[in-house]
Amino acid sequence: ARQTVEENLEVAEQTIQQASKLAALGEMSAAVSHELNQPLAAMRTYLAGAKTLLKSRRFEEAQGSFDRIDDMIARMGSITNQLKTHARKGSETLKTVDVLESLENAIEIMGPSFAEANLDIIRVFPRQKVWSRLDSSRFEQVLINLFRNAIDATKNIETPQIEVIVAQSDEIKVSIKDNGPGLSNLEEIFTPFFTTKEAGEGVGLGLSISSEIVAEFDGRLTAYNNKSGGAVFEITLPRVSVEPGET
Ligand code: ADP
């Protein structure tokens, strides 16, 4: 009887997982088609306008319409670009990896941007390795996104700083703290296309995609404001115990 209950539970858990993935996919698809349809409709209008202007030889005004169309193409391009890196996935790519190694990779990739922003990066890492099961390139994509956001948030701070703290007990916790102004829209930041950035500087997909990626590793991405100011993003991951040599 216990075996049957356990099997049923497993099926139920898988069903829930599938359903929540589909719900997330549905929400994302609706948001993406809405976001792409807007500029498409506007482009049609501008194009019709430009044709009329060209016919009446008002070249300068037509040029203005084409410039607007150019801007919209760029925005649509950045949306599809972010989705493209998101589309590559599959649980078969999950491997046991050292979270600290992924962090070092992401920090190295961000090196030139940190230097340009004059930003100090402080590591508080445990001495032992920190094993989890994940897809390291997608995990690094999440970290890079959080680092980019922290750079943006601290651009008006005199001594910008990011603190990366890793701790492990039953779970692994990676905290990324910055000394920017903090999060004023905590409820909305994980919503697709929520952004406070200027057009061309952000499309608002980073955090929603990041939290989906972390969920694929059975982890969670959460955010809060530090008591002493600044935003904190926390990635919680399942801890994997491995014997040396097994990896
Ligand atoms: P984008 O960076 O394109 O705006 P994200 O989903 O990555 O999209 O972020 C959504 C919003 O969350 C940002 O526009 C910003 O308002 C807020 N945000 C993210 N990270 C930080 C941070 N470290 N400090 C303050 N605000 C942040």
Side-chain angles (χ1 to χ4, degrees), residues 149-150 153 178 182-183 189 194-197 202-207 231 233:
N149 279 345
D178 65 53
L183 302 153
I189 53 169
F194 172 79
T195 182
T196 54
K197 296 176 190 172
V203 291
L205 277 177
L207 287 176
F233 283 87

Side-chain angles (χ1 to χ4, degrees), residues 141-158:
Q141 184 189 336
V142 170
L143 296 170
I144 287 169
N145 185 51
L146 295 177
F147 289 147
R148 285 223 175 95
N149 279 345
I151 292 181
D152 289 343
T154 53
K155 68 174 179 221
N156 294 322
I157 306 289
E158 210 173 310

Side-chain angles (χ1 to χ4, degrees), residues 60-74:
E60 214 145 288
E61 287 161 81
Q63 176 74 43
S65 293
F66 287 126
D67 288 344
R68 289 302 310 273
I69 293 173
D70 226 10
D71 293 343
M72 288 177 218
I73 291 174

Side-chain angles (χ1 to χ4, degrees), residues 26 32-33 42 52 77 88-89 98 108 128-129 145 159 163 207 217 225 234 247:
V32 169
S33 56
T52 316
R88 286 186 279 112
K89 68 166 172 186
D98 181 10
E108 191 180 322
Q128 324 85 300
K129 298 209 180 232
N145 185 51
T159 51
E163 212 176 334
L207 287 176
F217 311 149
N225 285 312
E234 211 164 76
T247 52

Side-chain angles (χ1 to χ4, degrees), residues 19 70 77 81 83 87 92 110 135-136 147 160 171 201 204 214 235:
D70 226 10
N81 254 336
L83 290 171
E92 67 278 7
M110 289 303 291
D135 173 337
S136 49
F147 289 147
E171 295 181 310
E201 283 177 20
V214 175
I235 306 169

